[in-house]
Amino acid sequence: MAKILFVMTGADQWTLADGTKHPTGFWAEEAVAPYEAFTGAGHEIVVATPGGVVPPVDKGSLAAEVNGGQENADRVAEALASMDELKRPVKLAEVDLGAYDAVFYPGGHGPMEDLAVNADSGRLLTDALASGKPLGVVCHAPAALLAATGQDGSPFAGYRLTGFTNAEETQAGLADKAKWLLQDRLVELGADFQEGEPWAPHVVVDRNLVTGQNPSSSGPLAAELLKKLGA
């Protein structure tokens, strides 16, 4: 059995370019699908957040229209309610990477607010990448990579990866309201950004780094992490 660390946002609001606050949090599917895949394979999950706060779910991610209908939306909500690990997160600053076999970051706009500038998360990502342990990051969670620094710039420079694209942010109606766009920032740090079709599953694997473009990529990403764990 492996022990997998879920690093999650503690932010329930995302500050837009005009200073207004957009309600946010983590995206439900991006936590539920990997959680079910990992626990279904017999692995243990521990959740970590900045300050050890309970991660807030983006209520928009529980809507029927983004879950393929009300039936699945209800299923996702029930799954979240049963994830006891979400209710007792550890403090990100106190995480010992050596205690875990893999690290996973779910998305939602929340990471754009807090993990993008969180030094504890940045150090963890740098160490996880260097360790060779499976590291999965999906949708908006690659914003956390912006806080990872090394002696010669970003440790993720030159890596093939993906994340929520400018096209998807535009189609979601938030591109012109954001302070910055994730795809742009990842390109600026020197990553080799791989863009797939909007909203379609798209997973990129480069060494121990596994990234997913959008919510529908979270399940396939979890499958890739399981392969790396040998499960």
Side-chain angles (χ1 to χ4, degrees):
M1 181 183 75
K3 194 173 182 180
I4 303 173
L5 180 70
F6 272 41
V7 180
M8 301 181 68
T9 183
D12 62 3
Q13 294 182 321
W14 176 36
T15 307
L16 301 178
D18 65 359
T20 59
K21 305 289 187 179
H22 180 74
T24 188
F26 69 87
W27 198 258
E29 179 182 358
E30 295 168 23
V32 169
Y35 179 91
E36 291 179 337
F38 298 147
T39 56
H43 301 311
E44 179 185 354
I45 306 297
V46 174
V47 172
T49 63
V53 301
V54 173
V57 65
D58 185 326
K59 298 203 171 38
S61 69
L62 299 174
E65 57 267 27
V66 297
N67 286 289
Q70 191 60 51
E71 183 177 351
N72 195 54
D74 291 343
R75 189 196 72 78
V76 169
E78 289 170 9
L80 274 183
S82 69
M83 289 167 61
D84 289 337
E85 296 88 347
L86 292 174
K87 303 165 189 172
R88 51 174 195 274
V90 300
K91 293 179 180 178
L92 185 53
E94 298 176 0
V95 164
D96 173 13
L97 177 63
Y100 300 95
D101 301 290
V103 179
F104 172 66
Y105 278 65
H109 281 106
M112 302 273 282
E113 183 77 13
D114 61 354
L115 297 180
V117 294
N118 186 285
D120 295 317
S121 174
R123 283 190 292 272
L124 177 68
L125 284 165
T126 299
D127 292 346
L129 191 69
S131 74
K133 295 179 179 183
L135 171 60
V137 195
V138 70
C139 200
H140 285 94
L145 275 53
L146 303 177
T149 57
Q151 292 182 332
D152 303 312
S154 173
F156 292 92
Y159 273 78
R160 289 181 297 104
L161 53 76
T162 192
F164 203 66
T165 64
N166 291 354
E168 287 166 324
E169 203 72 84
T170 298
Q171 291 177 22
L174 290 166
D176 60 347
K177 300 175 183 177
K179 287 183 178 179
W180 46 270
L181 297 177
L182 179 59
Q183 180 176 346
D184 292 346
R185 286 292 179 90
L186 293 173
V187 170
E188 288 168 10
L189 68 75
D192 179 4
F193 192 90
Q194 308 277 308
E195 182 175 358
E197 289 297 315
W199 312 110
H202 181 58
V203 175
V204 176
V205 181
D206 188 346
R207 289 157 277 186
N208 60 315
L209 178 66
V210 184
T211 51
Q213 180 172 313
N214 46 35
S216 65
S217 305
S218 53
L221 183 152
E224 290 294 335
L225 286 184
L226 286 172
K227 287 181 191 175
K228 288 187 172 294
L229 286 168

